[in-house]
Amino acid sequence: MIERTRSIDIAARIILIVGVAFILAPLVIAFLTATLSYEQFVRNGGITLQVGTHFLDNLAYIWTETALPAQLWNSIVISTLVAAIKCAFAFTATFALVFFDNRLNRIVFGLTLVTVMLPLELVVITTYQIVANIAMPLNWILALTGLGEITGLGSDLRLSLLDTYVGVAAPIACASTSVFIYRQFFLSLPRDLPKAAAMDGAGPWRFMWDILLPLSWTPLVATFMFWFIGGWTQYLWPLVAASTPDAQPAVVGLARLATTEQDRIPEVPMLMTGALFVSFIPVLLIAVMQRQIVRGLNLSEK
Amino acid sequence: MQKGFYSGRWTYAALVAPILVLIFLFFYVPVGLAFFWSLFLERPFGGGSQFVGLDNFARVLSDAEFWDALKRTAIFMIVAPSLAIGISLMLALAADRGLRGSSAARNIIIWPKAVAGASIGVVFVFVFNPFLGIFAPLNEIWPGFWNPRIDGTDAFITIVVAQVWNGIPFNFIILLSGLQTIPDTVTKAAVMDGASPWRRVWDIQIPLLTPQLFLTFVLEFVGTVVEAFGLIDTMTEGGPGGATTLLIYKIYVDGFKAYDLSGAATQTVILMLFVLIMVALQFRLEKHVKYER
C-alpha cells in the first residue's frame, strides 16, 4: 500500500523506544550495579552509568557464599515438575474431553475451569494445611466410615509434603489453563481423525500416543516452556511450603537475602548480582524461544 | 460440545483421573477447608474446632483494617491493570506497524514475563531508594520530595510501577496477536475509503480488538490481586503504616505470622467471592459487546 505514514511511523517509533527503555531500565540498572564492588558503589553514592570490573567477583561470591546455586537447582526441578504435570495431565484429560462421548464431559470441564479463576495464592492458608498432611482426606474417610477402628489404622495418619519438590510443585500445577489451549487445538483437527485411525486398527491409546501426540508437539512444547517459566516465578506458595533454605527455590532465596539484612547498609551490588543470577535462565528461555511459545499458545485464535 | 468418537468408560476414567485427583487434593480440598474454617474457630491450646456460625465474618467485617486493605486492593485492581493494558495497547499498535527493529523491540518487551515479581521487587527497591535511586538527585533539590519508606502514596506508586512493568508482556502478546488477526481486506477497504492510518487505529483496530481487550482485563483483574504479593513482600512489607497492605498480604500476615487461621480463612473466602463477582460482572459486560467481524 502506498500512503503517507510518516507521522504515525514516527509516533510508533517513539512509543517503542520509550517502552523498551522502560522495560530495560531496571535490568540495565541492576546489571551496571552488579559490576561494581561495594567500595565503588559507596563512592558513587547512587545510580551511575559506570561499568565496573567486579561482576565476576560478585558472581563468585554468590556462587560460593550463598545458598542460591543449590536453590537454582531446586527451581529447575520444581519448574520442570510443574510444567510436566500441567502438560501431561491436561493432555490426557483433554483427549478424553474432546474424543470421548461421555456424560461427565461437562462436569469434568467445569471442574477444571474453576481452577483457572481462583489462583493458588488466594488459598495458600488451607493449601498449607493439606500439604502439611496429605493423608487428611483419607483420615476423614477412615473416621466417617469407622474403617479406621475396624482396620486398626485409626484416623490420624500423617504424611507431610512440606519442603519436598512434589509438595511445592503439585499445588502450582493445579491451574488447568492447558486444558483450554489443548481443547482449542484438538477441536481444530479434522473430526474424522479417530475414525480413520480405527479403520487402521488403532484404539484410543494408540491413537493418542501415535497420532495425537506428534500432532500436538507445537502447543505441547510451547505450554511446557510457558509453565516452566510460570513455576519459576512463583513466590508466595514456595515461600510458605518450603521453610528451609535447602528446599526453597531461587526466587524465595533471593528475597530472603534481601529482606533479612535490613539493619545494616544493604550490599546492593551483591543483591543485584543475585537478582540477575536467579532470573537469567527463564529470561534466556523466553528471549530465545519466544516465537515458538507465542505461536504454540495459539493466543491469536478467535 | 462436539460429540466424541470413543466410548470406553474405563479408558475415559483412566484419562481424566490424574487431573481430577490433583485438583481435588490441591485445589478443591483447600477451597473447601477455607469455607470450613470461616465457619469454625480453632480451639487454642491444641486441636479441635468449634462451630461459631458467622461470628468470624462479623469479626472480620467489623475490623477497620480489613476494609482499608479491601479498599486498597480495589484501587490497585483498577489502577494497575488500566495502566498495564493501556501501555500494552500503545506498544502493540506501534509494534504492529512492522517498522525496522520492531521485532527486537517485541522480543525485549516480553522479557519481564520471565522475571519473578519478588526478584524485580528487590531491584525496584534499589531503583526507588530515596538516597541511592533515580529520584535521589530530586531529593537533594527538594528534601522529602520522594520517600517510599515514609510516604504511603510514594510506596503505593512504587508497587504500581513494578506491577505494570511485570504485567506488560502478557497483555502485549495477547493484544499484538489480536491485531495481527485483523483481516487485510478490512484494512484495504478502509484505505480505499481514504481512512488515514491514525483514523484506522480508532475506527478499525481498537474496535476489532475488543475481545482481546476484554480478555486482558479479566486476566489482569484476577492476576493483580495475587501477583502484588511478591512485590509487597520484597519492596514495602505492607508499609509504611499499612499503606501497601493489600488483602492478599494481610491474609498472609494474619495466617502465617499471627496464626489466626479462622480470620485468615474468612478473609480468603471473602476475597474469593470478591474475585468471582468481579469476573462474573465482566462476563455480563461482555454480553453487551459485539464481536462480529
Side-chain angles (χ1 to χ4, degrees), chain A residues 1 3-5 7-9 11-13 15-16 19-20 22-24 26-27 29-30 33 41 45-47 85 89-90 92-93 95-102 104-106 108-112 114-115 117-119 121-131 134 136-137 140 161 170-171 173-174 176 179 183 187 191 194-195 198 202-205 207-208 226 229 232-233 235-236 239-240 251 254-256 258-259 262 268 271-272 275 278-279 282-283 286-287 290 294 299-300 302, chain B residues 1-9 11-12 14-16 18-20 22-31 33-34 37 42 87 90-91 93-95 97 99-100 102-103 105-120 122-124 126-127 131-134 161 164-165 168-170 173-174 177-178 181 183-184 187-188 191 195-198 200-201 212 222 225-227 229-230 233-234 237 248 251-252 255-256 261 264-265 268 271-272 275-276 279 283 293:
Chain A
M1 275 179 281
E3 59 175 348
R4 292 168 58 89
T5 58
S7 68
I8 197 166
D9 282 347
R13 182 149 284 145
I15 288 172
L16 281 182
V20 168
F22 173 59
I23 298 292
L24 284 182
L27 298 176
I29 290 172
T33 312
F41 174 74
I47 297 168
I85 296 174
F89 287 14
T92 61
F95 167 58
L97 286 178
V98 174
F99 291 104
F100 275 70
D101 184 27
N102 196 302
L104 295 176
N105 273 348
R106 270 169 193 284
V108 174
F109 189 58
L111 285 173
T112 54
V114 180
T115 65
M117 285 193 288
L118 293 176
E121 284 92 337
L122 282 181
V123 279
V124 275
I125 304 280
T126 44
T127 308
Y128 180 84
Q129 283 196 308
I130 177 93
V131 174
I134 194 71
M136 198 191 275
W140 295 336
L161 290 180
C174 277
S176 311
V179 172
R183 184 165 175 272
L187 288 174
R191 288 185 65 175
K195 204 187 271 177
W205 291 104
F207 171 72
M208 181 178 86
F226 200 67
I229 293 166
W232 192 287
T233 54
Y235 178 66
L236 175 50
L239 177 70
V240 297
V251 172
L254 173 75
R256 293 301 92 194
T259 48
Q262 272 175 332
V268 177
L271 276 181
M272 296 301 116
V278 305
S279 309
V283 170
I286 212 161
Q290 185 174 119
V294 173
L299 288 163
S300 55
K302 277 180 255 179
Chain B
M1 260 182 203
Q2 160 186 342
K3 220 166 146 72
F5 175 75
Y6 299 113
S7 57
R9 272 190 211 166
T11 321
Y12 183 84
L15 289 167
V16 296
I19 204 167
L20 288 184
L22 179 80
I23 63 177
F24 171 76
L25 273 180
F26 297 107
F27 180 80
Y28 284 100
V29 168
V31 169
L33 274 175
W37 283 115
E42 193 183 29
I87 294 172
M90 289 204 295
L91 287 170
L93 285 166
R97 293 208 59 80
L99 302 171
R100 204 155 36 86
S102 72
S103 63
R106 232 153 73 184
N107 193 303
I108 291 169
I109 291 169
I110 316 271
W111 290 4
K113 179 77 206 156
V115 181
S119 310
I120 204 63
V122 171
V123 176
F124 270 117
F126 166 56
V127 171
F131 310 112
L132 301 169
I134 47 169
V161 171
V164 168
W165 189 86
I168 284 178
F170 196 60
I173 300 177
I174 294 179
S177 50
T181 57
D184 234 14
T187 318
K188 279 183 183 145
V191 175
S196 73
W198 285 106
R200 294 204 299 271
V201 168
Q212 281 79 14
V222 181
V225 175
V226 297
E227 281 160 13
F229 180 85
D233 196 42
T234 50
E237 298 188 51
I248 189 80
I251 290 174
Y252 166 77
F256 289 103
L261 177 61
T268 298
L271 188 55
M272 281 196 288
V275 167
L276 288 179
V279 173
F283 273 101
R293 279 195 178 168

Side-chain angles (χ1 to χ4, degrees), chain A residues 102-300:
Chain A
N102 196 302
R103 275 176 302 139
L104 295 176
N105 273 348
R106 270 169 193 284
I107 297 171
V108 174
F109 189 58
L111 285 173
T112 54
L113 186 125
V114 180
T115 65
V116 179
M117 285 193 288
L118 293 176
L120 163 66
E121 284 92 337
L122 282 181
V123 279
V124 275
I125 304 280
T126 44
T127 308
Y128 180 84
Q129 283 196 308
I130 177 93
V131 174
N133 184 16
I134 194 71
M136 198 191 275
L138 191 64
N139 287 337
W140 295 336
I141 296 171
L142 290 173
L144 277 177
T145 57
L147 270 176
E149 307 244 324
I150 299 165
T151 56
L153 282 169
S155 57
D156 198 26
L157 303 175
R158 301 203 69 87
L159 175 63
S160 168
L161 290 180
L162 294 175
D163 290 332
T164 67
Y165 288 141
V166 173
V168 177
I172 301 174
C174 277
S176 311
T177 327
S178 319
V179 172
F180 294 91
I181 297 168
Y182 299 160
R183 184 165 175 272
Q184 215 65 39
F185 178 75
F186 290 171
L187 288 174
S188 74
L189 295 173
R191 288 185 65 175
D192 287 336
L193 216 52
K195 204 187 271 177
M199 279 190 201
D200 291 339
W205 291 104
R206 188 76 194 264
F207 171 72
M208 181 178 86
W209 194 254
D210 283 348
I211 297 170
L212 199 59
L213 190 65
L215 279 176
S216 314
W217 211 237
T218 315
L220 273 176
V221 171
T223 45
F224 187 92
M225 289 188 289
F226 200 67
W227 305 140
F228 180 90
I229 293 166
W232 192 287
T233 54
Q234 287 285 326
Y235 178 66
L236 175 50
W237 171 247
L239 177 70
V240 297
S243 51
T244 64
D246 293 341
Q248 281 165 349
V251 172
V252 176
L254 173 75
R256 293 301 92 194
L257 280 183
T259 48
T260 47
E261 301 180 327
Q262 272 175 332
D263 294 335
R264 59 197 185 88
I265 304 172
E267 287 251 15
V268 177
M270 221 59 88
L271 276 181
M272 296 301 116
T273 314
L276 296 174
F277 183 73
V278 305
S279 309
F280 79 94
I281 291 180
V283 170
L284 214 60
L285 193 65
I286 212 161
V288 176
M289 307 298 281
Q290 185 174 119
R291 197 173 287 267
Q292 283 89 328
I293 295 177
V294 173
R295 194 185 299 157
L297 292 182
N298 199 18
L299 288 163
S300 55

